Amino acid sequence: MFPVLRSTDINFEEPTWYMFVVLEGIDNTGKSTLATGLKEYFEGHGHRVCLVSDPPKEKPWGGWKNRIQSAPEITTPARATLYLAARLDAVARVIKPALKDGALVVADRYYTSWFAYQITKLEKQMTRGQAYNLLY
């Protein structure tokens, strides 16, 4: 269920390298600043870089986070599913193509953050086991 990249997703026989860097951490610790710095550094050394964030900012997902966070009629499980849908879409439309094209992908958070955020919210409505089973 988690949007992960498997070795079967990319042809490693091609004469190129693949790098997917994920920056995780608590809020306001400089992940976005570091991600931008890595992008600038590697681009300055001739590499193509794809910077992604979680939740994704690419269309159609940009700006939707505030709308669903402020909508009390959306249930917590539905909200978690929307975040997962955004991530799966970003993997399929942005991350995998960038890697296949030989770009370095720098992610400002990834599925581990999604899991941590969602399980803590879901635990307020169900047991940890139920929340864990829902997410897996």
Side-chain angles (χ1 to χ4, degrees), residues 20-88:
F20 184 26
V21 177
V22 177
L23 304 171
E24 293 283 3
I26 59 174
D27 293 342
N28 300 310
T29 57
K31 292 175 302 302
S32 297
T33 302
L34 180 58
T36 301
L38 286 171
K39 181 180 189 302
E40 291 170 359
Y41 174 83
F42 282 105
E43 285 179 339
H45 286 82
H47 299 284
R48 284 176 289 125
V49 180
C50 176
L51 183 61
V52 295
S53 63
D54 183 61
K57 294 177 183 166
E58 294 81 21
K59 288 184 180 183
W61 305 107
W64 68 277
K65 178 183 173 185
N66 292 336
R67 289 193 304 273
I68 67 163
Q69 286 299 106
S70 62
E73 62 275 11
I74 298 176
T75 65
T76 301
R79 194 172 285 118
T81 304
L82 287 170
Y83 279 110
L84 177 60
R87 181 164 301 99
L88 291 170

Side-chain angles (χ1 to χ4, degrees), residues 1-3 74-85 87-88 114-136:
M1 180 166 172
F2 288 114
I74 298 176
T75 65
T76 301
R79 194 172 285 118
T81 304
L82 287 170
Y83 279 110
L84 177 60
R87 181 164 301 99
L88 291 170
W114 170 82
F115 187 83
Y117 275 97
Q118 300 314 316
I119 198 146
T120 58
K121 292 174 184 174
L122 289 168
E123 283 180 340
K124 294 176 184 173
Q125 298 180 351
M126 56 188 71
T127 68
R128 179 176 290 246
Q130 289 170 323
Y132 187 83
N133 287 335
L134 178 66
L135 295 178
Y136 275 107

Side-chain angles (χ1 to χ4, degrees), residues 103-114:
L104 163 78
V105 176
V106 177
D108 180 355
R109 295 200 167 151
Y110 198 53
Y111 76 88
T112 49
S113 287
W114 170 82

